[in-house]
C-alpha cells in the first residue's frame, strides 16, 4: 500500500511532491506524459504575480501572496531562474484610474507589500517605451518572472533526490474509494498498466482534475479549459521593457501583457478564448493577431520579431476559485483542482499546505537526511570566464557548442540527460538547457541533440522522440554534416 499517490507532474504536483519528500512516506507521482511539465505548466506567462488581482478572502489570493514569498527563497535553494522585475498595471485612459485604485485597495487587503500608484511622469522614467496613452499605473514591486520549466523540474528533481518515485507514460484511468477490514478508507488507482492501492490520493491533474474528483465525490466539479495564446519574440526585442506591463481591462476587452522573460526574450499575450477540449493547444491567426494588436497598446512600438507562438489551457472551475483540500465525502482524497492563474505562483504554497494536510492525516516522522537544496545545470551562456574555464577543464564537452542561438554546449546537454529525472526527449533537453529555444528554433541544434540523446539513452537515432507518444523525427540516419 502506497502512502500517497499524486496524479499529475505539473508544477502543482511537483511542488506537493517536494514538500511531502520531507517525511518518511512512500510517495509516487503518476504522469501520463513522458516528462514533468508537459501540461499547462509549460505554456503560461511565467509571471510570479504579486497578488493584487484575486478577490480578498479567496484561496487564489491567499496562495498567490504566500507563493510569491516562497519563490524568492526557493529560487536560490533549488537554483532556478527568477527575477523580481516588478509589475506595472497600466490605465490606458483616464477612466481607468478608478480601476487602478480598486486594485491597490484589493492588493493591500491581500497583504501585497509595496504597492503604489505611479503617475505619468514617473511611469515614463521607469519605462521609457511605455505608451503615450498610459495615464498612470499600479506598481507592484514584488511581481517577478520565472522559468516555469526549470521551477517545475527543480521541484521534481529535489523530490526524487529525497525518494519520491515518478512514473511517466502512466495514465490514470480510474480512482475507486474502498474500505479495509478495519473500516479505514483507501483508494485503488488503476493506470494504463498497473493497479495501486494508496492511503491518500492527491489530485493535481490540471484540466482533468474534475474527472478524478468526480470519480470519488458526489459534490461534482466542472472544469472548462480556456485557451491563452502567446507570441514569443527574439532577444533583440527583450529590452523594450524591463517591468511586466499589464493592461487594466477596458471596454475594448481584457488586456494582454508585454513582458521580458527571465531569459531575456520579449513575450506578449495571452488571449482568453474557449478551447476545443482539454487537449486543444492550437494557435490561430486571429488569436495571434489579437495578441500583437492589443500588446501594441502598451508600448510606443511593438517589434514584429516573433520567433515562436504557443497556447496554454486554463483549468477554470465553475466556482471561480482554486479547489484545495480533502473532498468532503471522500476522506484521504485531496484536491489541487481548478488551479488556473495564478497557479504557477501559488504552487509552492499549495505544496506546503497539502503536505501539512497529509502530515496531519498520516503523522509521518520527518526525514533526518532531507536534502533541501538542488543544483541546476551550469550554464555556459551565463558563466563568467573563470567559471567557463573551470567547467571546460573538468569536462571538455562544455567547450563544444551545440545550440548557437542560446549558447548551449554538449556538456550541458549530457548533464540534462544523465541527472536525476533526466531528459529522455528533445523537448526534455530543450526545457532543461534552452537548446532549441532561440531564434532558429532548433534548426541548427536538433541534428546534434538527437545523436547525444541516442548515445546516452542506448537507443537508435530513429527512436528519439520530440515529446513521447511516438513523436519521432527520423525514419533514416542523419547525414554526418557537422
Ligand atoms: C494562458 C495561461 C497563462 C498563465 N499565466 C500564469 C502566470 O503568469 N503566472 C501564474 O502564476 N500562473 C499562470 N497560469 C496558471 C498556471 O500555468 C497553472 O495554474 C499551473 O501551471 C497549473 O499547474 P498544474 O500542475 O495544476 O497543471 P498542469 O501543469 O496541467 O499539470 C497537470 C498534469 O497532470 C497530468 N495528467 C492529467 N491527466 C492525467 C492522467 N489521467 N494520468 C496521469 N497524469 C495526468 C497532465 O499530463 C499534466 O502534466 C497561466 C495559465 C495559462 C493557461
Amino acid at each position: 500500500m502506497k502512502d500517497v499517490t499524486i496524479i499529475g507532474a505539473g508544477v502543482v504536483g511537483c511542488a506537493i511532491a517536494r514538500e511531502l519528500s520531507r517525511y518518511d512516506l512512500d510517495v509516487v507521482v503518476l504522469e501520463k506524459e513522458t516528462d514533468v511539465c508537459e501540461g499547462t505548466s509549460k505554456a503560461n506567462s511565467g509571471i510570479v504575480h504579486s497578488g493584487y488581482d484575486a478577490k480578498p478572502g479567496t484561496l487564489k489570493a491567499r496562495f498567490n501572496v504566500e507563493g510569491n514569498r516562497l519563490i524568492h527563497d526557493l529560487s536560490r535553494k533549488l537554483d532556478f531562474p527568477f527575477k523580481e522585475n516588478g509589475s506595472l498595471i497600466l490605465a490606458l485612459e483616464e477612466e481607468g484610474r478608478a480601476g487602478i485604485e480598486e486594485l491597490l485597495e484589493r492588493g493591500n487587503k491581500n497583504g501585497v507589500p509595496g504597492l503604489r500608484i505611479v503617475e505619468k511622469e514617473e511611469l515614463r522614467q521607469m519605462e521609457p517605451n511605455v505608451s503615450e496613452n498610459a495615464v498612470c499605473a499600479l506598481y507592484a514591486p514584488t511581481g517577478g518572472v520565472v522559468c516555469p520549466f526549470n521551477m517545475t523540474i527543480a521541484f521534481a528533481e529535489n523530490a526524487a533526490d529525497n525518494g519520491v518515485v515518478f512514473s511517466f507514460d502512466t495514465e490514470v484511468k480510474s480512482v475507486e474509494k474502498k474500505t479495509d477490514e478495519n473500516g479505514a478508507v483507501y483508494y485503488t488507482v488503476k493506470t494504463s498498466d498497473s493497479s495501486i492501492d494508496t492511503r491518500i490520493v492527491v489530485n493535481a491533474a490540471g484540466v482533468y482534475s474534475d474527472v478524478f474528483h468526480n470519480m470519488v465525490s458526489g459534490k461534482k466539479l466542472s472544469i472548462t479549459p480556456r485557451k491563452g495564446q502567446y507570441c514569443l519574440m527574439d532577444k533583440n526585442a527583450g529590452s523594450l521593457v524591463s517591468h511586466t506591463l499589464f493592461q487594466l481591462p477596458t471596454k475594448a476587452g481584457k488586456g494582454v501583457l508585454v513582458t521580458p522573460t527571465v531569459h531575456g526574450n520579449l513575450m506578449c499575450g495571452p488571449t482568453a478564448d474557449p478551447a476545443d477540449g482539454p487537449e486543444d493547444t492550437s494557435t490561430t491567426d486571429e488569436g495571434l493577431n489579437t495578441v500583437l494588436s492589443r500588446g501594441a497598446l502598451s508600448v510606443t512600438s511593438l517589434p514584429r520579431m516573433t520567433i515562436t507562438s504557443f497556447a496554454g489551457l486554463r483549468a477554470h472551475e465553475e466556482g471561480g476559485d482554486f479547489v484545495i483540500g480533502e473532498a468532503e465525502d471522500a476522506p484521504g482524497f485531496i484536491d489541487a483542482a481548478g488551479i488556473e492563474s495564478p497557479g504557477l505562483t501559488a504552487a509552492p504554497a499549495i505544496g506546503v499546505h497539502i503536505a501539512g494536510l497529509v502530515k496531519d492525516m498520516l503523522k509521518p516522522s520527518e526525514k533526518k537526511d532531507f536534502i533541501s537544496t538542488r543544483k541546476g545545470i551550469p550554464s555556459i551562456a551565463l558563466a563568467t570566464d573563470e567559471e567557463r574555464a573551470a567547467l571546460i577543464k573538468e569536462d571538455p564537452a562544455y567547450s563544444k557548442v551545440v545550440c548557437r542561438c542560446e549558447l548551449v554546449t554538449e556538456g550541458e546537454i549530457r548533464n540534462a540527460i544523465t541527472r536525476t529525472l533526466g531528459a529522455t526527449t528533445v523537448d526534455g533537453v530543450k526545457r532543461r538547457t534552452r537548446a532549441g529555444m532561440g531564434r532558429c528554433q532548433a534548426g541548427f541544434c536538433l541534428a546534434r541533440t538527437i545523436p547525444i540523446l541516442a548515445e546516452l539513452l542506448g537507443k537508435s537515432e530513429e527512436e528519439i522522440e520530440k515529446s513521447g507518444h511516438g513523436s519521432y523525427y527520423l525514419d533514416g540516419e542523419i547525414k554526418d554534416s557537422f
Side-chain angles (χ1 to χ4, degrees), residues 8 10-12 31-32 40-41 44-47 49 170 172 204-206 212 230 313-314 339-345:
V11 69
V12 173
E31 170 54 57
K32 69 182 169 67
T40 300
S41 302
N44 51 63
S45 311
I47 307 300
H49 292 288
T170 304
V172 175
F212 298 111
Y230 291 90
L313 295 173
R314 301 170 180 89
I339 311 295
E340 56 182 340
S341 193
L344 185 68
T345 314

PDB file of all heavy atoms in Angstrom, residues 8 10-12 31-32 40-41 44-47 49 170 172 204-206 212 230 313-314 339-345, ligand 1:
ATOM      1  N   GLY A   8      -0.441  13.648 -11.644  1.00  0.00           N
ATOM      2  CA  GLY A   8      -0.039  14.851 -12.382  1.00  0.00           C
ATOM      3  C   GLY A   8       1.301  15.408 -11.941  1.00  0.00           C
ATOM      4  O   GLY A   8       1.501  15.702 -10.764  1.00  0.00           O
ATOM      5  N   GLY A  10       2.689  18.318 -13.063  1.00  0.00           N
ATOM      6  CA  GLY A  10       2.835  19.734 -13.411  1.00  0.00           C
ATOM      7  C   GLY A  10       3.483  20.441 -12.238  1.00  0.00           C
ATOM      8  O   GLY A  10       3.944  19.796 -11.272  1.00  0.00           O
ATOM      9  N   VAL A  11       3.481  21.764 -12.278  1.00  0.00           N
ATOM     10  CA  VAL A  11       4.158  22.500 -11.205  1.00  0.00           C
ATOM     11  C   VAL A  11       3.497  22.228  -9.854  1.00  0.00           C
ATOM     12  O   VAL A  11       4.183  22.141  -8.825  1.00  0.00           O
ATOM     13  CB  VAL A  11       4.222  24.022 -11.524  1.00  0.00           C
ATOM     14  CG1 VAL A  11       2.843  24.688 -11.477  1.00  0.00           C
ATOM     15  CG2 VAL A  11       5.193  24.725 -10.600  1.00  0.00           C
ATOM     16  N   VAL A  12       2.175  22.014  -9.855  1.00  0.00           N
ATOM     17  CA  VAL A  12       1.471  21.808  -8.585  1.00  0.00           C
ATOM     18  C   VAL A  12       1.806  20.426  -8.013  1.00  0.00           C
ATOM     19  O   VAL A  12       2.217  20.307  -6.855  1.00  0.00           O
ATOM     20  CB  VAL A  12      -0.055  22.006  -8.769  1.00  0.00           C
ATOM     21  CG1 VAL A  12      -0.809  21.634  -7.506  1.00  0.00           C
ATOM     22  CG2 VAL A  12      -0.347  23.456  -9.150  1.00  0.00           C
ATOM     23  N   GLU A  31       2.224  10.253 -14.035  1.00  0.00           N
ATOM     24  CA  GLU A  31       2.113  11.275 -15.080  1.00  0.00           C
ATOM     25  C   GLU A  31       1.903  10.589 -16.420  1.00  0.00           C
ATOM     26  O   GLU A  31       2.661   9.699 -16.790  1.00  0.00           O
ATOM     27  CB  GLU A  31       3.384  12.142 -15.085  1.00  0.00           C
ATOM     28  CG  GLU A  31       3.536  13.091 -16.262  1.00  0.00           C
ATOM     29  CD  GLU A  31       2.333  14.015 -16.465  1.00  0.00           C
ATOM     30  OE1 GLU A  31       1.971  14.745 -15.535  1.00  0.00           O
ATOM     31  OE2 GLU A  31       1.739  13.988 -17.579  1.00  0.00           O
ATOM     32  N   LYS A  32       0.874  11.029 -17.153  1.00  0.00           N
ATOM     33  CA  LYS A  32       0.556  10.357 -18.421  1.00  0.00           C
ATOM     34  C   LYS A  32       1.553  10.710 -19.523  1.00  0.00           C
ATOM     35  O   LYS A  32       1.703   9.970 -20.490  1.00  0.00           O
ATOM     36  CB  LYS A  32      -0.873  10.653 -18.865  1.00  0.00           C
ATOM     37  CG  LYS A  32      -1.169  12.071 -19.307  1.00  0.00           C
ATOM     38  CD  LYS A  32      -2.648  12.205 -19.679  1.00  0.00           C
ATOM     39  CE  LYS A  32      -3.099  13.636 -19.874  1.00  0.00           C
ATOM     40  NZ  LYS A  32      -2.552  14.338 -21.007  1.00  0.00           N
ATOM     41  N   THR A  40      -0.226  22.463 -18.599  1.00  0.00           N
ATOM     42  CA  THR A  40      -0.318  23.929 -18.563  1.00  0.00           C
ATOM     43  C   THR A  40       0.951  24.568 -18.010  1.00  0.00           C
ATOM     44  O   THR A  40       1.288  25.700 -18.365  1.00  0.00           O
ATOM     45  CB  THR A  40      -1.534  24.333 -17.705  1.00  0.00           C
ATOM     46  OG1 THR A  40      -2.699  23.781 -18.314  1.00  0.00           O
ATOM     47  CG2 THR A  40      -1.686  25.825 -17.599  1.00  0.00           C
ATOM     48  N   SER A  41       1.642  23.839 -17.152  1.00  0.00           N
ATOM     49  CA  SER A  41       2.841  24.419 -16.534  1.00  0.00           C
ATOM     50  C   SER A  41       3.928  24.774 -17.534  1.00  0.00           C
ATOM     51  O   SER A  41       4.843  25.525 -17.221  1.00  0.00           O
ATOM     52  CB  SER A  41       3.391  23.460 -15.475  1.00  0.00           C
ATOM     53  OG  SER A  41       2.395  23.211 -14.513  1.00  0.00           O
ATOM     54  N   ASN A  44       2.522  29.168 -20.202  1.00  0.00           N
ATOM     55  CA  ASN A  44       1.869  30.263 -19.467  1.00  0.00           C
ATOM     56  C   ASN A  44       2.755  31.504 -19.562  1.00  0.00           C
ATOM     57  O   ASN A  44       3.754  31.492 -20.274  1.00  0.00           O
ATOM     58  CB  ASN A  44       1.640  29.833 -18.015  1.00  0.00           C
ATOM     59  CG  ASN A  44       2.899  29.290 -17.380  1.00  0.00           C
ATOM     60  OD1 ASN A  44       3.877  30.015 -17.246  1.00  0.00           O
ATOM     61  ND2 ASN A  44       2.909  28.014 -17.044  1.00  0.00           N
ATOM     62  N   SER A  45       2.404  32.549 -18.812  1.00  0.00           N
ATOM     63  CA  SER A  45       3.162  33.803 -18.929  1.00  0.00           C
ATOM     64  C   SER A  45       4.464  33.791 -18.124  1.00  0.00           C
ATOM     65  O   SER A  45       5.293  34.686 -18.291  1.00  0.00           O
ATOM     66  CB  SER A  45       2.316  34.995 -18.441  1.00  0.00           C
ATOM     67  OG  SER A  45       1.040  34.986 -19.014  1.00  0.00           O
ATOM     68  N   GLY A  46       4.605  32.851 -17.223  1.00  0.00           N
ATOM     69  CA  GLY A  46       5.831  32.799 -16.414  1.00  0.00           C
ATOM     70  C   GLY A  46       5.953  33.964 -15.445  1.00  0.00           C
ATOM     71  O   GLY A  46       7.044  34.320 -15.016  1.00  0.00           O
ATOM     72  N   ILE A  47       4.795  34.528 -15.061  1.00  0.00           N
ATOM     73  CA  ILE A  47       4.839  35.674 -14.145  1.00  0.00           C
ATOM     74  C   ILE A  47       4.655  35.184 -12.708  1.00  0.00           C
ATOM     75  O   ILE A  47       3.759  34.385 -12.429  1.00  0.00           O
ATOM     76  CB  ILE A  47       3.697  36.685 -14.463  1.00  0.00           C
ATOM     77  CG1 ILE A  47       3.716  37.092 -15.941  1.00  0.00           C
ATOM     78  CG2 ILE A  47       3.783  37.908 -13.538  1.00  0.00           C
ATOM     79  CD1 ILE A  47       4.967  37.752 -16.415  1.00  0.00           C
ATOM     80  N   HIS A  49       3.128  36.447  -9.894  1.00  0.00           N
ATOM     81  CA  HIS A  49       2.212  37.551  -9.581  1.00  0.00           C
ATOM     82  C   HIS A  49       2.406  38.008  -8.142  1.00  0.00           C
ATOM     83  O   HIS A  49       2.667  37.190  -7.252  1.00  0.00           O
ATOM     84  CB  HIS A  49       0.763  37.104  -9.785  1.00  0.00           C
ATOM     85  CG  HIS A  49       0.419  36.859 -11.221  1.00  0.00           C
ATOM     86  ND1 HIS A  49       0.267  37.886 -12.130  1.00  0.00           N
ATOM     87  CD2 HIS A  49       0.210  35.714 -11.913  1.00  0.00           C
ATOM     88  CE1 HIS A  49      -0.028  37.375 -13.320  1.00  0.00           C
ATOM     89  NE2 HIS A  49      -0.069  36.067 -13.223  1.00  0.00           N
ATOM     90  N   THR A 170       2.334   7.020 -17.678  1.00  0.00           N
ATOM     91  CA  THR A 170       1.427   6.251 -16.828  1.00  0.00           C
ATOM     92  C   THR A 170       0.123   7.029 -16.687  1.00  0.00           C
ATOM     93  O   THR A 170       0.023   7.960 -15.889  1.00  0.00           O
ATOM     94  CB  THR A 170       2.077   6.026 -15.438  1.00  0.00           C
ATOM     95  OG1 THR A 170       3.350   5.398 -15.636  1.00  0.00           O
ATOM     96  CG2 THR A 170       1.213   5.158 -14.556  1.00  0.00           C
ATOM     97  N   VAL A 172      -3.539   7.617 -15.538  1.00  0.00           N
ATOM     98  CA  VAL A 172      -4.525   7.137 -14.567  1.00  0.00           C
ATOM     99  C   VAL A 172      -5.866   6.999 -15.285  1.00  0.00           C
ATOM    100  O   VAL A 172      -6.326   7.920 -15.965  1.00  0.00           O
ATOM    101  CB  VAL A 172      -4.651   8.108 -13.374  1.00  0.00           C
ATOM    102  CG1 VAL A 172      -5.765   7.667 -12.434  1.00  0.00           C
ATOM    103  CG2 VAL A 172      -3.328   8.192 -12.624  1.00  0.00           C
ATOM    104  N   ALA A 204      -3.780  16.358  -8.770  1.00  0.00           N
ATOM    105  CA  ALA A 204      -3.153  17.567  -9.345  1.00  0.00           C
ATOM    106  C   ALA A 204      -3.122  17.421 -10.856  1.00  0.00           C
ATOM    107  O   ALA A 204      -2.097  17.665 -11.498  1.00  0.00           O
ATOM    108  CB  ALA A 204      -1.753  17.748  -8.768  1.00  0.00           C
ATOM    109  N   ALA A 205      -4.271  17.018 -11.410  1.00  0.00           N
ATOM    110  CA  ALA A 205      -4.317  16.621 -12.820  1.00  0.00           C
ATOM    111  C   ALA A 205      -4.708  17.762 -13.766  1.00  0.00           C
ATOM    112  O   ALA A 205      -5.140  17.526 -14.893  1.00  0.00           O
ATOM    113  CB  ALA A 205      -5.271  15.438 -12.991  1.00  0.00           C
ATOM    114  N   GLY A 206      -4.562  19.003 -13.330  1.00  0.00           N
ATOM    115  CA  GLY A 206      -4.754  20.147 -14.220  1.00  0.00           C
ATOM    116  C   GLY A 206      -6.139  20.200 -14.821  1.00  0.00           C
ATOM    117  O   GLY A 206      -7.151  20.121 -14.095  1.00  0.00           O
ATOM    118  N   PHE A 212     -11.177  13.199 -12.016  1.00  0.00           N
ATOM    119  CA  PHE A 212     -10.806  12.304 -10.907  1.00  0.00           C
ATOM    120  C   PHE A 212     -11.596  12.619  -9.638  1.00  0.00           C
ATOM    121  O   PHE A 212     -12.013  11.714  -8.925  1.00  0.00           O
ATOM    122  CB  PHE A 212      -9.290  12.346 -10.678  1.00  0.00           C
ATOM    123  CG  PHE A 212      -8.562  11.850 -11.894  1.00  0.00           C
ATOM    124  CD1 PHE A 212      -7.818  12.696 -12.682  1.00  0.00           C
ATOM    125  CD2 PHE A 212      -8.718  10.538 -12.299  1.00  0.00           C
ATOM    126  CE1 PHE A 212      -7.200  12.241 -13.831  1.00  0.00           C
ATOM    127  CE2 PHE A 212      -8.108  10.062 -13.449  1.00  0.00           C
ATOM    128  CZ  PHE A 212      -7.348  10.924 -14.222  1.00  0.00           C
ATOM    129  N   TYR A 230       0.014  33.053 -27.216  1.00  0.00           N
ATOM    130  CA  TYR A 230       1.155  33.955 -26.999  1.00  0.00           C
ATOM    131  C   TYR A 230       2.033  34.093 -28.231  1.00  0.00           C
ATOM    132  O   TYR A 230       2.148  33.153 -29.019  1.00  0.00           O
ATOM    133  CB  TYR A 230       2.090  33.379 -25.928  1.00  0.00           C
ATOM    134  CG  TYR A 230       1.543  33.369 -24.546  1.00  0.00           C
ATOM    135  CD1 TYR A 230       0.828  32.275 -24.079  1.00  0.00           C
ATOM    136  CD2 TYR A 230       1.760  34.441 -23.693  1.00  0.00           C
ATOM    137  CE1 TYR A 230       0.336  32.245 -22.788  1.00  0.00           C
ATOM    138  CE2 TYR A 230       1.274  34.423 -22.393  1.00  0.00           C
ATOM    139  CZ  TYR A 230       0.563  33.326 -21.958  1.00  0.00           C
ATOM    140  OH  TYR A 230       0.081  33.299 -20.681  1.00  0.00           O
ATOM    141  N   LEU A 313      -3.667  26.131 -21.576  1.00  0.00           N
ATOM    142  CA  LEU A 313      -5.079  25.963 -21.192  1.00  0.00           C
ATOM    143  C   LEU A 313      -5.292  26.247 -19.721  1.00  0.00           C
ATOM    144  O   LEU A 313      -4.693  25.601 -18.857  1.00  0.00           O
ATOM    145  CB  LEU A 313      -5.527  24.524 -21.489  1.00  0.00           C
ATOM    146  CG  LEU A 313      -5.534  24.125 -22.968  1.00  0.00           C
ATOM    147  CD1 LEU A 313      -5.832  22.631 -23.084  1.00  0.00           C
ATOM    148  CD2 LEU A 313      -6.554  24.933 -23.755  1.00  0.00           C
ATOM    149  N   ARG A 314      -6.159  27.195 -19.420  1.00  0.00           N
ATOM    150  CA  ARG A 314      -6.512  27.496 -18.024  1.00  0.00           C
ATOM    151  C   ARG A 314      -7.532  26.461 -17.542  1.00  0.00           C
ATOM    152  O   ARG A 314      -8.520  26.216 -18.236  1.00  0.00           O
ATOM    153  CB  ARG A 314      -7.169  28.877 -17.933  1.00  0.00           C
ATOM    154  CG  ARG A 314      -6.312  30.020 -18.435  1.00  0.00           C
ATOM    155  CD  ARG A 314      -7.152  31.292 -18.517  1.00  0.00           C
ATOM    156  NE  ARG A 314      -6.402  32.433 -18.995  1.00  0.00           N
ATOM    157  CZ  ARG A 314      -6.260  32.778 -20.289  1.00  0.00           C
ATOM    158  NH1 ARG A 314      -6.827  32.044 -21.227  1.00  0.00           N
ATOM    159  NH2 ARG A 314      -5.556  33.845 -20.625  1.00  0.00           N
ATOM    160  N   ILE A 339      -6.724  24.794 -10.745  1.00  0.00           N
ATOM    161  CA  ILE A 339      -5.581  25.679 -10.471  1.00  0.00           C
ATOM    162  C   ILE A 339      -5.231  26.450 -11.747  1.00  0.00           C
ATOM    163  O   ILE A 339      -4.283  26.120 -12.473  1.00  0.00           O
ATOM    164  CB  ILE A 339      -4.364  24.892  -9.924  1.00  0.00           C
ATOM    165  CG1 ILE A 339      -4.789  23.960  -8.786  1.00  0.00           C
ATOM    166  CG2 ILE A 339      -3.281  25.869  -9.458  1.00  0.00           C
ATOM    167  CD1 ILE A 339      -5.297  24.640  -7.517  1.00  0.00           C
ATOM    168  N   GLU A 340      -6.041  27.476 -12.008  1.00  0.00           N
ATOM    169  CA  GLU A 340      -5.718  28.371 -13.139  1.00  0.00           C
ATOM    170  C   GLU A 340      -4.815  29.476 -12.602  1.00  0.00           C
ATOM    171  O   GLU A 340      -4.282  29.377 -11.489  1.00  0.00           O
ATOM    172  CB  GLU A 340      -7.015  28.911 -13.760  1.00  0.00           C
ATOM    173  CG  GLU A 340      -7.921  29.624 -12.798  1.00  0.00           C
ATOM    174  CD  GLU A 340      -9.224  30.090 -13.459  1.00  0.00           C
ATOM    175  OE1 GLU A 340      -9.295  30.198 -14.680  1.00  0.00           O
ATOM    176  OE2 GLU A 340     -10.182  30.345 -12.705  1.00  0.00           O
ATOM    177  N   SER A 341      -4.610  30.551 -13.352  1.00  0.00           N
ATOM    178  CA  SER A 341      -3.731  31.611 -12.886  1.00  0.00           C
ATOM    179  C   SER A 341      -4.275  32.181 -11.583  1.00  0.00           C
ATOM    180  O   SER A 341      -5.488  32.319 -11.443  1.00  0.00           O
ATOM    181  CB  SER A 341      -3.656  32.706 -13.946  1.00  0.00           C
ATOM    182  OG  SER A 341      -2.595  33.567 -13.649  1.00  0.00           O
ATOM    183  N   PRO A 342      -3.496  32.466 -10.569  1.00  0.00           N
ATOM    184  CA  PRO A 342      -2.028  32.470 -10.505  1.00  0.00           C
ATOM    185  C   PRO A 342      -1.410  31.173  -9.970  1.00  0.00           C
ATOM    186  O   PRO A 342      -0.628  31.193  -9.017  1.00  0.00           O
ATOM    187  CB  PRO A 342      -1.774  33.626  -9.538  1.00  0.00           C
ATOM    188  CG  PRO A 342      -2.928  33.512  -8.554  1.00  0.00           C
ATOM    189  CD  PRO A 342      -4.104  32.967  -9.317  1.00  0.00           C
ATOM    190  N   GLY A 343      -1.702  30.058 -10.621  1.00  0.00           N
ATOM    191  CA  GLY A 343      -1.301  28.758 -10.089  1.00  0.00           C
ATOM    192  C   GLY A 343       0.190  28.503 -10.078  1.00  0.00           C
ATOM    193  O   GLY A 343       0.698  27.791  -9.209  1.00  0.00           O
ATOM    194  N   LEU A 344       0.892  29.073 -11.063  1.00  0.00           N
ATOM    195  CA  LEU A 344       2.348  28.893 -11.088  1.00  0.00           C
ATOM    196  C   LEU A 344       2.956  29.553  -9.849  1.00  0.00           C
ATOM    197  O   LEU A 344       3.800  28.963  -9.159  1.00  0.00           O
ATOM    198  CB  LEU A 344       2.891  29.558 -12.366  1.00  0.00           C
ATOM    199  CG  LEU A 344       4.365  29.418 -12.679  1.00  0.00           C
ATOM    200  CD1 LEU A 344       4.719  27.987 -13.016  1.00  0.00           C
ATOM    201  CD2 LEU A 344       4.739  30.327 -13.861  1.00  0.00           C
ATOM    202  N   THR A 345       2.499  30.754  -9.559  1.00  0.00           N
ATOM    203  CA  THR A 345       2.989  31.483  -8.382  1.00  0.00           C
ATOM    204  C   THR A 345       2.573  30.768  -7.105  1.00  0.00           C
ATOM    205  O   THR A 345       3.348  30.679  -6.146  1.00  0.00           O
ATOM    206  CB  THR A 345       2.378  32.905  -8.361  1.00  0.00           C
ATOM    207  OG1 THR A 345       2.490  33.474  -9.660  1.00  0.00           O
ATOM    208  CG2 THR A 345       3.060  33.776  -7.340  1.00  0.00           C
TER     209      THR A 345
HETATM  210  C1  LIG B   1      -2.520  31.213 -20.664  1.00  0.00           C
HETATM  211  C2  LIG B   1      -2.099  30.985 -19.246  1.00  0.00           C
HETATM  212  C3  LIG B   1      -1.279  31.908 -18.603  1.00  0.00           C
HETATM  213  C4  LIG B   1      -0.898  31.733 -17.290  1.00  0.00           C
HETATM  214  N1  LIG B   1      -0.019  32.600 -16.717  1.00  0.00           N
HETATM  215  C5  LIG B   1       0.345  32.432 -15.428  1.00  0.00           C
HETATM  216  C6  LIG B   1       1.287  33.313 -14.832  1.00  0.00           C
HETATM  217  O1  LIG B   1       1.866  34.185 -15.477  1.00  0.00           O
HETATM  218  N2  LIG B   1       1.550  33.165 -13.512  1.00  0.00           N
HETATM  219  C7  LIG B   1       0.934  32.216 -12.758  1.00  0.00           C
HETATM  220  O2  LIG B   1       1.172  32.183 -11.564  1.00  0.00           O
HETATM  221  N3  LIG B   1       0.093  31.312 -13.326  1.00  0.00           N
HETATM  222  C8  LIG B   1      -0.195  31.392 -14.633  1.00  0.00           C
HETATM  223  N4  LIG B   1      -1.025  30.489 -15.237  1.00  0.00           N
HETATM  224  C9  LIG B   1      -1.536  29.375 -14.444  1.00  0.00           C
HETATM  225  C10 LIG B   1      -0.525  28.237 -14.308  1.00  0.00           C
HETATM  226  O3  LIG B   1       0.145  27.998 -15.514  1.00  0.00           O
HETATM  227  C11 LIG B   1      -1.273  27.000 -13.862  1.00  0.00           C
HETATM  228  O4  LIG B   1      -2.060  27.338 -12.743  1.00  0.00           O
HETATM  229  C12 LIG B   1      -0.351  25.856 -13.467  1.00  0.00           C
HETATM  230  O5  LIG B   1       0.597  25.601 -14.460  1.00  0.00           O
HETATM  231  C13 LIG B   1      -1.199  24.626 -13.203  1.00  0.00           C
HETATM  232  O6  LIG B   1      -0.346  23.580 -12.853  1.00  0.00           O
HETATM  233  P1  LIG B   1      -0.920  22.129 -12.626  1.00  0.00           P
HETATM  234  O7  LIG B   1       0.221  21.319 -12.136  1.00  0.00           O
HETATM  235  O8  LIG B   1      -2.145  22.209 -11.806  1.00  0.00           O
HETATM  236  O9  LIG B   1      -1.420  21.670 -14.067  1.00  0.00           O
HETATM  237  P2  LIG B   1      -0.610  21.024 -15.273  1.00  0.00           P
HETATM  238  O10 LIG B   1       0.676  21.681 -15.496  1.00  0.00           O
HETATM  239  O11 LIG B   1      -1.544  20.976 -16.428  1.00  0.00           O
HETATM  240  O12 LIG B   1      -0.291  19.570 -14.759  1.00  0.00           O
HETATM  241  C14 LIG B   1      -1.263  18.557 -14.693  1.00  0.00           C
HETATM  242  C15 LIG B   1      -0.597  17.272 -15.103  1.00  0.00           C
HETATM  243  O13 LIG B   1      -1.495  16.197 -14.916  1.00  0.00           O
HETATM  244  C16 LIG B   1      -1.258  15.270 -15.927  1.00  0.00           C
HETATM  245  N5  LIG B   1      -2.430  14.408 -16.069  1.00  0.00           N
HETATM  246  C17 LIG B   1      -3.688  14.763 -16.471  1.00  0.00           C
HETATM  247  N6  LIG B   1      -4.477  13.695 -16.557  1.00  0.00           N
HETATM  248  C18 LIG B   1      -3.720  12.617 -16.173  1.00  0.00           C
HETATM  249  C19 LIG B   1      -3.973  11.236 -16.076  1.00  0.00           C
HETATM  250  N7  LIG B   1      -5.150  10.676 -16.419  1.00  0.00           N
HETATM  251  N8  LIG B   1      -2.983  10.427 -15.648  1.00  0.00           N
HETATM  252  C20 LIG B   1      -1.764  10.931 -15.331  1.00  0.00           C
HETATM  253  N9  LIG B   1      -1.461  12.242 -15.450  1.00  0.00           N
HETATM  254  C21 LIG B   1      -2.424  13.077 -15.861  1.00  0.00           C
HETATM  255  C22 LIG B   1      -1.019  16.149 -17.136  1.00  0.00           C
HETATM  256  O14 LIG B   1      -0.362  15.445 -18.174  1.00  0.00           O
HETATM  257  C23 LIG B   1      -0.194  17.261 -16.562  1.00  0.00           C
HETATM  258  O15 LIG B   1       1.188  17.033 -16.669  1.00  0.00           O
HETATM  259  C24 LIG B   1      -1.382  30.619 -16.568  1.00  0.00           C
HETATM  260  C25 LIG B   1      -2.171  29.678 -17.227  1.00  0.00           C
HETATM  261  C26 LIG B   1      -2.495  29.832 -18.558  1.00  0.00           C
HETATM  262  C27 LIG B   1      -3.273  28.799 -19.261  1.00  0.00           C
END
